[in-house]
Amino acid sequence: MGVPGGGSRVATAAAACLLLLQLCGCVAALPMKSAAGGGDRYKDPSQPLNTRIDDLLRRMTLAEKIGQMSQIERENATAGVINKYFIGSVLSGGGSVPAKNAPPEAWAKMVNGMQGGALSTRLGIPMLYGIDAVHGHGNVYKATIFPHNVGLGCTRDPELAKRIGAAVALEVRATGIPYVFAPCVAVCRDPRWGRCYESFSEHPELVQSMTSIISGFQGEIPAGGRQGAPFVAGQRSVAACSKHYVGDGGTTKGINENNTVATFHELLSVHMPPYYNAVIRGVSTVMISYSSWNGVKMHSNHFLISDFLKKELRFRGFVISDWQGLDRITTPDHADYLLSIKLGILAGIDMIMIPYTYTEFIDDLTLLVQNGTIPMSRIDDAVRRILRVKFTMGLFENPYADPSLAGELGKQEHRDLAREAVRKSLVLLKNGKPGDKPLLPLPKKARGSILVAGSHADDLGSQCGGWTITWQGLTGNNLTAGTTILDGIKRAVVPGTDVVYSENPDAGFIQQNKARFDYAIVVVGEPPYAEQFGDNLNLTIPAPGPAIIQNVCGSIKCVVVLVSGRPLVVEPYMNAIDALVAAWLPGTEGQGVADVLFGDYGFAGKLSRTWFRSVEQLPMNVGDAHYDPLFPFGFGLETQPSKY
């Protein structure tokens, strides 16, 4: 594009020479001048933040402002589209990648190309790229996948969560991305919900404590810094997003995107507390929930978004919708899009996740402003908040990927941290039958053989769960790089020890071979899932898990390792099994499970959720008047490391 207003050939040639010298590093970049001839104060990092915001905002047209409020899917985000519509943000949905198994360099190249489109606009406002990173940089091949939040809650270790946040930030930055849709700070009150594994706990205080992960993502606000204002420490940190505001973990029967029936006092005491801590920690953005509160869609709730979050809690970052969140205000979706846009924007949502219908959104919002339905003051509030985050995170000064960070993805230091998190998240629920010695820790050397059985023993995809490479996750070992639980067991035992793996041994196999096995490790659990596909009203262990437990544990001393996103019905099997371990969804570092099974480390995890006896008891949470769990909130047996 040419310089606005043109210029003489001499001026053009001089500018070209100056640009060439800058690229060669011969001269420092000079402050750019506005079309009117004065200095662009918004481009000067020495100016106060509000001065920069005010200067840029007053220059912007309505089209440029609405562009900033638009977040579109990567598939549509060519440099030309970003330039034409002044698009302010781009996202990758679950599984949306530049190419299968793309390395960090390919991601960074893609993001940089889009950024070039944004920077070539009249005002050169950089684009903000966002991606889900709810347990590591899950979309990206060979990224470190950490335990899902349900497991991290069992560690009761906010400092560990903070270190995980910092590691994830580096892996995300390795791909040129500066913004993550994490953490989920839902307080899951019913494990039938398909997103329960994204919740640290049923207890609001435990979720509050684990918001430390935000300081890991974004960096700690320095001493003397302003608490409650958006904060990102620099290019090794990312902007974070607390989600899903508010009450998403309290829906009736745990049905995803459903209605949370609660008094305002109950909402404040159970579901709101994590947001108090998130705002104090300087979280940059808050994502609105698909769910409703007492029948009112959260995406249209002016009281909770504008009056409470923005005014009462003094949140200064920007509020973002969920994927096609405005469409879902009406039933059926998108039935009256003008009304949906009106309700969502007036409720206080600042950036709209419109992966595909962005031109319709832009046209309709423009119309609603031009006819006076939505005041310009509401548009300015939205854009001011978006610009505040972009300035705060240094996006204007450093809009492009830092190629020196490419090696951060999946590096050993991060895998070691994930392995530590696995060890600390495991909860020992039973250890030995009455009158018997404890089974765990297991001996690393067997007189005979060790049987490893079950659908989840050698399945990296299942132990990672949803939001891994694809939205729903996948079973199998060709998904990404990592260590299965079986791999970990084989590495843990004394060399030469015979480990026999049978995924689904039948009764005949067990009867013929039971004398040769010292003990068995049975690893079963849930298949991968995400969101509504994980909603489950019976919560039984999926087949063939029950049959494997009965076949193996009926004849051989056994420890059952349960890989799941939530507690499942286990009471029918408790008499048959010798030991039971809740491993949750441990991620790529299955070695962490073996570390504790064989006593290199002791069991220390404590339940972040109540373990029910039957689904008829649900919802049942700690503190309820009628509380009769199989294992209560906070339960967890401990072992000491073995002295091998």
Side-chain angles (χ1 to χ4, degrees):
M1 294 178 67
V3 179
S8 67
R9 290 181 181 176
V10 174
T12 303
C17 289
L18 180 60
L19 177 61
L20 182 61
L21 289 169
Q22 289 173 5
L23 291 172
C24 294
C26 301
V27 298
L30 299 176
M32 295 179 68
K33 300 292 182 181
S34 71
D40 289 347
R41 300 179 77 184
Y42 74 90
K43 293 181 179 176
D44 181 357
S46 68
Q47 294 291 324
L49 175 61
N50 285 333
T51 300
R52 299 181 77 184
I53 295 170
D54 291 341
D55 182 58
L56 179 51
L57 194 60
R58 69 177 175 81
R59 300 170 187 271
M60 296 174 72
T61 64
L62 177 60
E64 288 164 334
K65 291 175 181 177
I66 290 175
Q68 284 303 302
M69 297 170 68
S70 305
Q71 184 181 69
I72 70 173
E73 222 288 329
R74 177 202 63 80
E75 294 174 37
N76 307 310
T78 64
V81 166
I82 291 171
N83 179 282
K84 179 178 179 180
Y85 295 101
F86 311 105
I87 297 297
S89 187
V90 177
L91 84 153
S92 274
S96 179
V97 299
K100 183 178 171 62
N101 298 348
E105 293 82 1
W107 281 89
K109 181 180 179 182
M110 175 191 72
V111 176
N112 283 348
M114 297 173 185
Q115 193 66 277
L119 296 179
S120 66
T121 56
R122 181 178 73 94
L123 295 171
I125 304 172
M127 170 276 303
L128 179 62
Y129 198 108
I131 196 164
D132 285 284
V134 293
H135 66 145
H137 200 6
N139 271 318
V140 179
Y141 183 61
K142 291 188 176 179
T144 308
I145 303 300
F146 292 85
H148 268 297
N149 287 353
V150 65
L152 295 184
C154 296
T155 70
R156 300 293 204 282
D157 191 340
E159 189 61 31
L160 175 66
K162 182 179 166 184
R163 287 191 285 140
I164 288 171
V168 175
L170 284 169
E171 298 213 3
V172 172
R173 282 286 194 171
T175 56
I177 296 172
Y179 175 33
V180 296
F181 306 128
C184 177
V185 295
V187 181
C188 174
R189 303 290 282 179
D190 194 323
R192 291 175 290 188
W193 186 35
R195 302 194 82 147
C196 205
Y197 64 74
E198 296 184 53
S199 168
F200 290 110
S201 177
E202 71 189 39
H203 199 298
E205 288 184 12
L206 180 49
V207 180
Q208 280 184 289
S209 72
M210 300 301 276
T211 60
S212 55
I213 197 170
I214 294 169
S215 299
F217 286 135
Q218 299 192 155
E220 285 277 13
I221 299 173
R226 181 182 170 190
Q227 288 193 326
F231 175 79
V232 180
Q235 281 190 283
R236 298 173 68 84
S237 301
V238 293
C241 178
S242 293
K243 63 184 190 181
H244 309 85
Y245 185 86
V246 60
D248 51 338
T251 60
T252 301
K253 294 186 178 180
I255 298 170
N256 193 51
E257 303 182 22
N258 208 257
N259 188 33
T260 297
V261 179
T263 65
F264 186 47
H265 173 74
E266 289 166 343
L267 195 74
L268 292 184
S269 61
V270 175
H271 299 285
M272 195 68 79
Y275 291 94
Y276 306 152
N277 295 61
V279 171
I280 289 169
R281 289 183 181 277
V283 74
S284 296
T285 72
V286 170
M287 185 183 293
I288 302 302
S289 176
Y290 287 131
S291 59
S292 302
W293 175 46
N294 296 336
V296 178
K297 292 274 191 179
M298 273 305 310
H299 274 77
S300 64
N301 197 312
H302 181 276
F303 168 68
L304 287 176
I305 299 172
S306 289
D307 294 340
F308 196 82
L309 178 62
K310 289 185 172 181
K311 293 178 183 174
E312 189 72 22
L313 299 188
R314 299 186 179 184
F315 173 62
R316 293 288 177 265
F318 69 78
V319 175
I320 185 169
S321 82
D322 206 334
W323 177 280
Q324 296 177 330
L326 293 195
D327 302 56
R328 304 192 196 194
I329 290 175
T330 58
T331 304
D333 294 357
H334 206 82
D336 187 341
Y337 199 44
L338 268 174
L339 175 64
S340 294
I341 293 171
K342 170 189 168 183
L343 291 174
I345 300 297
L346 290 179
I349 302 176
D350 304 310
M351 183 178 283
I352 312 301
M353 199 181 287
I354 31 164
Y356 307 117
T357 58
Y358 58 94
T359 56
E360 181 185 10
F361 167 77
I362 289 169
D363 290 345
D364 286 358
L365 180 53
T366 302
L367 174 64
L368 289 168
V369 176
Q370 289 175 339
N371 69 17
T373 302
I374 295 177
M376 185 61 78
S377 59
R378 172 74 272 272
I379 301 299
D380 286 347
D381 170 58
V383 177
R384 178 177 295 278
R385 289 168 176 276
I386 293 164
L387 295 178
R388 180 179 290 124
V389 169
K390 289 185 175 185
F391 279 122
T392 299
M393 62 194 297
L395 203 57
F396 280 78
E397 287 68 55
N398 297 292
Y400 288 112
D402 180 352
S404 72
L405 295 177
E408 296 289 338
L409 188 92
K411 74 176 186 180
Q412 191 59 46
E413 182 183 338
H414 297 163
R415 295 190 180 278
D416 292 343
L417 177 61
R419 184 172 167 181
E420 176 189 347
V422 174
R423 293 195 295 261
K424 291 180 175 179
S425 66
L426 302 177
V427 180
L428 180 57
L429 299 173
K430 181 180 181 180
N431 192 15
K433 293 178 180 176
D436 289 354
K437 291 194 304 183
L439 180 62
L440 300 172
L442 298 168
K444 292 186 176 182
K445 189 173 184 179
R447 293 187 303 275
S449 301
I450 299 168
L451 174 63
V452 180
S455 51
H456 287 52
D458 191 32
D459 192 323
L460 189 64
S462 289
Q463 72 189 41
C464 288
W467 295 107
T468 310
I469 302 300
T470 68
W471 174 37
Q472 292 294 317
L474 295 166
T475 58
N477 290 334
N478 57 356
L479 187 71
T480 188
T483 303
T484 68
I485 294 171
L486 177 63
D487 291 334
I489 291 167
K490 289 179 175 178
R491 294 176 188 178
V493 298
V494 171
T497 300
D498 185 33
V499 175
V500 176
Y501 171 58
S502 176
E503 181 177 335
N504 188 7
D506 58 24
F509 173 86
I510 296 298
Q511 289 307 310
Q512 291 171 14
N513 294 279
K514 64 181 181 180
R516 64 184 281 212
F517 295 121
D518 286 24
Y519 58 83
I521 302 170
V522 176
V523 191
V524 294
E526 295 185 294
Y529 56 81
E531 299 192 44
Q532 68 269 21
F533 294 95
D535 288 356
N536 185 330
L537 294 179
N538 64 55
L539 295 181
T540 53
I541 298 174
I548 297 171
I549 293 172
Q550 288 163 346
N551 287 339
V552 175
C553 298
S555 301
I556 306 168
K557 275 191 179 296
C558 78
V559 52
V560 172
V561 178
L562 191 61
V563 176
S564 66
R566 52 202 160 187
L568 300 176
V569 176
V570 295
E571 194 168 35
Y573 319 107
M574 292 304 292
N575 289 335
I577 66 179
D578 295 275
L580 176 62
V581 176
W584 313 111
L585 296 170
T588 51
E589 308 313 305
Q591 183 86 45
V593 176
D595 286 341
V596 187
L597 288 179
F598 290 95
D600 290 328
Y601 297 83
F603 280 93
K606 304 295 180 184
L607 286 179
S608 63
R609 309 203 51 76
T610 296
W611 203 293
F612 57 90
R613 296 177 185 276
S614 69
V615 291
E616 286 73 30
Q617 295 176 295
L618 299 176
M620 178 176 63
N621 295 283
V622 63
D624 287 357
H626 300 287
Y627 191 67
D628 180 31
L630 182 61
F631 302 108
F633 175 86
F635 180 83
L637 302 174
E638 296 184 11
T639 62
Q640 296 302 312
S642 299
K643 295 182 175 64
Y644 283 109

